[in-house]
Amino acid sequence: MGQFEIHGFDEMLAELDRIGRFGDVAPKMLKEAVPILQEEVVRQAEPHKDTGEMAASIKPTGVMSGKSGSYYICVRPTGYASKRWKYARKKDGGKEGSKRPVRNMEKLVWLEFGTKKQAATPILKTATANAAPKVRRKLQEIFNREIGKE
């Protein structure tokens, strides 16, 4: 989904690794900084609401670890729309005229990348670009606080 690159973050991670605190501090940094991104994604999604369910369902995951020893958190819509959409996901076995439940994540993807009948509205791209400076500052603040305890 949406990604942003933080310059100088590699040096911060190298310093954490050097002092042996990466596995302790990195998850704490992510947990404390993710609300900034979540708030911005919700803010970007709200103008495109039909019922408001999709924007209200946007939540962060817990901290997860990658194969390379890295850590990450995802901010994404959860659950299903309460109303069923006619012809939704017809290619997945839906019959003509049937109504199928639609995931809130699908609605965000349709907004982000567009459909045959709808132009793309890059919510995640805009949200990550807007949130990046604030997230960077928060990560640095947490890093300084945690390393200052040494």
Side-chain angles (χ1 to χ4, degrees), residues 36-81:
I36 298 166
L37 179 59
Q38 178 185 0
E39 181 181 309
E40 186 62 30
V41 173
V42 169
R43 195 173 75 72
Q44 292 296 322
E46 281 180 339
H48 306 283
K49 67 183 176 187
D50 178 14
T51 63
E53 289 178 330
M54 189 268 294
S57 77
I58 295 172
K59 308 266 186 281
T61 63
V63 176
M64 296 180 272
S65 59
K67 293 179 183 177
S68 64
S70 60
Y71 293 92
Y72 64 96
I73 289 181
C74 297
V75 174
R76 81 298 186 243
T78 59
Y80 287 85

Side-chain angles (χ1 to χ4, degrees), residues 73-90:
I73 289 181
C74 297
V75 174
R76 81 298 186 243
T78 59
Y80 287 85
S82 62
K83 78 176 190 182
R84 294 177 178 263
W85 292 17
K86 195 170 186 178
Y87 309 124
R89 293 182 291 163
K90 204 162 54 170

Side-chain angles (χ1 to χ4, degrees), residues 60-122:
T61 63
V63 176
M64 296 180 272
S65 59
K67 293 179 183 177
S68 64
S70 60
Y71 293 92
Y72 64 96
I73 289 181
C74 297
V75 174
R76 81 298 186 243
T78 59
Y80 287 85
S82 62
K83 78 176 190 182
R84 294 177 178 263
W85 292 17
K86 195 170 186 178
Y87 309 124
R89 293 182 291 163
K90 204 162 54 170
K91 69 179 180 187
D92 292 340
K95 296 177 187 167
E96 189 76 22
S98 70
K99 290 186 176 184
R100 308 261 315 211
V102 175
R103 291 178 185 94
N104 286 317
M105 185 65 189
E106 287 178 285
K107 295 194 296 187
L108 181 65
V109 169
W110 295 334
L111 280 171
E112 185 76 16
F113 299 107
T115 66
K116 289 180 189 177
K117 298 177 182 180
Q118 174 182 314
T121 308

